[in-house]
Amino acid sequence: MLSAAGIGAGDEVIVPAFGNVEVAEAVKAAGAMPVFADIDPVTYCLSAASVEAAVTFRTAALIVVHRFGRSADIPGLREVGRRHELLILEQGESETPYDEVARRRAHAAYLNGRLRGVHTPDGGGEHTYQQYIVRVPGNGRPDRDAFARALRSRGVECRVPVKTPVHRMPGFRRDIRLPETELASDETLALPVDASLTKREMHRVVSACNALGGLLQPAF
């Protein structure tokens, strides 16, 4: 799509560093230069303010990636694109049947009301919970990785959604600071929220997390 739009050598394309490296690789494959902007800490998608700050006279496009079932701030990003005459490309997530989304939302509501010691997600009206992302604060005590290991030892599957932000990877390393991206990479953890989970399985998630919650800061 970038190549078809005439974007290539000498152009810059703004992309998120929080997420998969494939987006930056696509920009590089088109001959353009990926430029990394920070995320909104609630949606984990590109921040319009950070995109605005990253625009230069070489910027030709930005790629918006919707994450974890939350949509990016499309009105704000489109306004930035309009002011600077940028091409905006969106990478969405797979469509999920309505009944499955409803069950995921019900599971998320259950977790939101019972989890302690982790920061639960701000759902928002449109959240489809493709993934249920919590934050595990470090505060000098057991960190996210230790918390995840402890959960797995209690039979709860969990995973780190983004282990290394792209601007810290070989081949894309930049001498920049993206504080929200870096903090999210250190703190986020995906807990089970699949529509197929039983009440007993959901209770196990809560029990395992809350058993460890005393080691962490209270949830906000």
Side-chain angles (χ1 to χ4, degrees):
M1 292 175 71
L2 292 168
S3 297
I7 294 172
D11 293 326
E12 294 178 350
V13 179
I14 298 173
V15 299
F18 186 76
N20 300 330
V21 71
E22 287 82 3
V23 175
E25 287 176 337
V27 174
K28 198 171 181 179
M33 172 70 73
V35 173
F36 300 106
D38 212 351
I39 58 168
D40 178 284
V42 174
T43 66
Y44 302 106
C45 304
L46 278 176
S47 155
S50 184
V51 168
E52 178 78 55
V55 172
T56 73
F57 72 95
R58 294 181 182 275
T59 308
L62 66 98
I63 300 177
V64 181
V65 182
H66 303 292
R67 290 223 162 272
F68 309 138
R70 284 295 299 264
S71 294
D73 175 18
I74 291 300
L77 292 166
R78 283 180 177 163
E79 177 57 24
V80 174
R82 184 194 64 77
R83 284 199 302 273
H84 298 283
E85 299 182 343
L86 306 179
L87 172 68
I88 300 179
L89 300 177
E90 295 182 52
Q91 184 184 64
E93 297 177 298
S94 58
E95 292 292 330
T96 305
Y98 178 80
D99 59 340
E100 183 172 334
V101 171
R103 288 195 295 273
R104 285 175 179 265
R105 284 174 172 160
H107 289 165
Y110 178 90
L111 294 174
N112 287 347
R114 291 166 176 80
L115 286 176
R116 302 290 179 266
V118 296
H119 299 185
T120 56
D122 178 350
E126 301 302 317
H127 204 322
T128 61
Y129 294 99
Q130 296 280 356
Q131 295 186 57
Y132 183 85
I133 305 297
V134 299
R135 289 194 183 235
V136 182
N139 73 320
R141 287 178 278 184
D143 62 8
R144 184 270 318 279
D145 294 337
F147 190 83
R149 288 192 295 270
L151 283 185
R152 294 184 190 113
S153 73
R154 288 164 167 78
V156 174
E157 289 299 319
C158 57
R159 70 178 196 85
V160 175
V162 177
K163 294 181 179 179
T164 305
V166 183
H167 72 299
R168 294 288 181 256
M169 292 182 177
F172 294 98
R173 195 176 298 276
R174 300 286 189 276
D175 186 20
I176 58 173
R177 281 207 68 242
L178 302 175
E180 295 297 349
T181 292
E182 290 155 18
L183 187 62
S185 296
D186 288 342
E187 292 187 345
T188 51
L189 187 67
L191 298 180
V193 76
D194 294 346
S196 60
L197 290 172
T198 65
K199 288 184 178 180
R200 177 175 293 181
E201 289 168 328
M202 295 296 295
H203 179 71
R204 180 189 299 166
V205 172
V206 171
S207 296
C209 286
N210 289 356
L212 300 167
L215 301 174
L216 303 168
Q217 295 174 342
F220 288 166

